[in-house]
């Protein structure tokens, strides 16, 4: 399995402020996908954003954006204008790009708390 | 709305019991997965299935088995539950198709929290 590392177990941010979550991964693959998933308290895991490794442009989804540094094997998530509903555990995940490879490798997660 | 439904949200079992965790999806997805979630370890893949009656071992299959007799249903079985299998179990599904078309996005169930005493 690929190794995905999230070095920040917990982060706290004031409402309307910006927070950045870090993620690094270890792979010898050149083509792959990276994801951030969000797991709100007692609710289902949902996709926040995804990035194809062959694309140089960083993905954005509304207030969520990534900083993808392929050479450094780094994939950070920035949450802008944080809202109370952003309180959740966030997981970084890696998927190889192969015809029969649909398995995700996850990091340990970062718990984000947005303070009012 | 697309859904993955896990039959039990909370279970408490005794050591040595046989445990069944059921998962049903209504999206006609080919791929189905069972993950285990533990604090500090993230999600770890137990088993994966890309078709009826097909299964592949994930990273931590020991102590578990799976069954997929119908496309929409994927069951996780603990033949003899042990205390170290106390955990949150997440089922997920995805399309089998061209990667990049949405086939690589997982839809998750709400999870089944299992406690083995």
């Amino acid at each position: 399995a690929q190794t995905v590392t999230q070095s920040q177990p917990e982060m706290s941010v004031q409402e309307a402020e910006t927070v950045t979550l870090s993620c690094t991964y270890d792979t010898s693959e050149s083509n792959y996908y990276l994801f951030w998933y969000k797991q709100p308290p007692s609710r289902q895991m949902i996709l926040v954003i995804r990035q194809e490794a062959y694309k140089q442009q960083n993905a954005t989804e509304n207030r969520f954006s990534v900083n993808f540094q392929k050479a450094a094997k780094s994939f950070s998530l920035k949450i802008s204008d944080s809202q109370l509903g952003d309180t959740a555990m966030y997981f970084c995940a890696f998927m190889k790009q192969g015809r029969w490879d649909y398995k995700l490798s996850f990091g340990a997660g970062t718990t984000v708390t947005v303070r009012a | 709305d697309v859904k993955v439904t896990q039959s039990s949200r909370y279970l408490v079992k005794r050591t040595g019991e046989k445990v069944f965790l059921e998962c049903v999806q209504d999206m006609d997805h080919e791929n189905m997965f069972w993950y285990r979630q533990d604090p500090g370890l993230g999600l770890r893949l137990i088993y994966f299935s890309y078709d009826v009656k097909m299964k592949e071992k994930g990273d931590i299959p020991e102590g578990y088995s799976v069954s997929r007799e119908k496309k929409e249903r994927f069951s996780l079985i603990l033949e003899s539950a042990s205390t170290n299998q106390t955990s949150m179990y997440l089922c997920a599904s995805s399309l089998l198709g061209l990667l990049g078309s949405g086939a690589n996005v997982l839809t998750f169930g709400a999870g089944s929290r299992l406690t083995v005493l």
Side-chain angles (χ1 to χ4, degrees):
Chain A
Q2 314 297 321
T3 302
V4 179
T5 302
Q6 294 178 247
S7 58
Q8 305 149 313
E10 296 181 3
M11 298 194 75
S12 180
V13 61
Q14 193 72 34
E15 198 174 8
E17 297 292 310
T18 295
V19 63
T20 300
L21 283 59
S22 66
C23 173
T24 59
Y25 55 94
D26 182 25
T27 185
S28 58
E29 305 286 332
S30 56
N31 296 315
Y32 48 86
Y33 295 86
L34 294 163
F35 305 81
W36 281 98
Y37 278 85
K38 169 185 177 181
Q39 187 179 42
S42 301
R43 292 177 60 189
Q44 285 166 268
M45 184 103 65
I46 57 172
L47 177 70
V48 176
I49 199 166
R50 68 173 173 174
Q51 173 84 40
E52 290 90 343
Y54 65 85
K55 289 187 177 179
Q56 292 187 335
Q57 186 173 7
N58 289 322
T60 62
E61 286 288 341
N62 300 316
R63 296 181 296 104
F64 298 88
S65 62
V66 298
N67 183 4
F68 173 48
Q69 302 289 328
K70 191 173 184 179
K73 298 180 182 176
S74 171
F75 184 60
S76 61
L77 174 71
K78 184 169 78 173
I79 307 173
S80 304
D81 185 25
S82 297
Q83 301 176 359
L84 296 178
D86 295 334
T87 292
M89 180 166 276
Y90 289 81
F91 292 95
C92 179
F94 173 100
M95 179 187 287
K96 291 192 294 185
Q97 185 178 359
R99 181 171 173 80
W100 300 108
D101 269 319
Y102 296 91
K103 295 176 285 187
L104 278 175
S105 296
F106 286 84
T110 297
T111 299
V112 173
T113 302
V114 180
R115 307 185 309 275
Chain B
D1 196 14
V2 170
K3 277 190 178 172
V4 176
T5 303
Q6 295 183 229
S7 56
S8 302
R9 193 67 195 270
Y10 299 95
L11 303 94
V12 179
K13 298 292 181 181
R14 297 284 180 187
T15 301
E17 279 192 75
K18 189 169 186 176
V19 181
F20 292 86
L21 299 180
E22 306 286 345
C23 176
V24 177
Q25 51 95 3
D26 63 1
M27 300 163 284
D28 203 33
H29 283 175
E30 291 84 1
N31 299 325
M32 295 190 76
F33 307 81
W34 275 106
Y35 281 90
R36 171 176 170 160
Q37 182 179 359
D38 298 288
L41 297 177
L43 279 71
R44 294 177 291 168
L45 182 64
I46 305 171
Y47 267 97
F48 157 55
S49 169
Y50 58 87
D51 199 355
V52 174
K53 298 191 185 294
M54 304 302 291
K55 62 183 179 183
E56 284 191 21
K57 293 181 180 179
D59 300 318
I60 52 164
E62 297 78 18
Y64 303 95
S65 62
V66 290
S67 172
R68 192 162 181 205
E69 296 297 320
K70 293 185 178 181
K71 188 177 184 180
E72 67 270 18
R73 186 180 297 271
F74 192 36
S75 302
L76 180 69
I77 303 156
L78 288 67
E79 293 289 342
S80 178
S82 63
T83 55
N84 62 12
Q85 292 178 309
T86 292
S87 186
M88 171 70 85
Y89 291 88
L90 296 178
C91 177
S93 70
S94 70
L95 283 170
L96 182 71
L98 290 174
L99 290 174
S101 65
N104 54 7
V105 177
L106 268 62
T107 300
F108 284 87
S112 297
R113 184 167 294 281
L114 172 67
T115 301
V116 183
L117 302 175

